[in-house]
Amino acid sequence: MFLSLVFLAELVAGISGFVFRHEIKDTFLRTYTDAMQTYNGNDERSRAVDHVQRSLSCCGVQNYTNWSTSPYFLEHGIPPSCCMNETDCNPQDLHNLTVAATKVNQKGEDIVMMASLANCCLSCYLLGKC
């Protein structure tokens, strides 16, 4: 009986994730873009952006040039969390998009992967087993 309930909960979570995948993707895209625009390098939201970029070896939404529209970029350049090797990145490199192209991760966030992760987290939450 219990295993049937677990299976049913997983099935519902999987179907929900599939049905709402576009909404989930759009929400992640909008939220991450907003986080980039309000990035300051110090608050919790900025630390979350840094963590995602380091963990996924990525930079920006589509790519590192997305940072050029951020207020943070005007003063500081691209965040160091985008660097392939932070010891090889200096602030001058991160202000220049041409130079930064050789120093930072080229790919952006994989929103579909993030949406899948959210669906997995939702399943864990619903099942209480993570």
Side-chain angles (χ1 to χ4, degrees):
M1 177 68 175
F2 177 73
L3 289 177
S4 296
L5 290 174
V6 169
F7 175 74
L8 183 61
E10 287 179 351
L11 184 64
V12 168
I15 291 171
S16 297
F18 179 76
V19 170
F20 296 110
R21 69 187 179 280
H22 298 295
E23 288 84 358
I24 293 169
K25 180 180 174 183
D26 291 343
T27 300
F28 271 115
L29 180 62
R30 190 172 47 255
T31 302
Y32 199 81
T33 300
D34 182 52
M36 286 178 57
Q37 291 302 311
T38 59
Y39 183 91
N40 65 19
N42 297 318
D43 65 356
E44 188 159 338
R45 198 173 195 187
S46 297
R47 287 192 298 274
V49 169
D50 289 336
H51 177 73
V52 167
Q53 291 186 150
R54 283 188 183 105
S55 298
L56 299 178
S57 298
C58 61
C59 187
V61 177
Q62 285 86 23
N63 60 47
Y64 70 98
T65 61
N66 296 136
W67 281 101
S68 65
T69 63
S70 168
Y72 180 86
F73 179 81
L74 298 174
E75 189 174 336
H76 304 283
I78 297 170
S81 60
C82 285
C83 295
M84 289 184 274
N85 179 0
E86 286 193 42
T87 60
D88 188 33
C89 273
N90 64 56
Q92 293 80 20
D93 294 341
L94 298 176
H95 273 281
N96 183 329
L97 287 177
T98 305
V99 175
T102 64
K103 306 278 184 172
V104 301
N105 294 304
Q106 296 292 313
K107 68 179 181 172
E109 302 300 336
D110 186 348
I111 301 298
V112 175
M113 183 172 73
M114 297 280 288
S116 297
L117 178 63
N119 190 32
C120 178
C121 291
L122 176 63
S123 298
C124 285
Y125 175 76
L126 291 174
L127 299 175
K129 296 183 177 196
C130 297

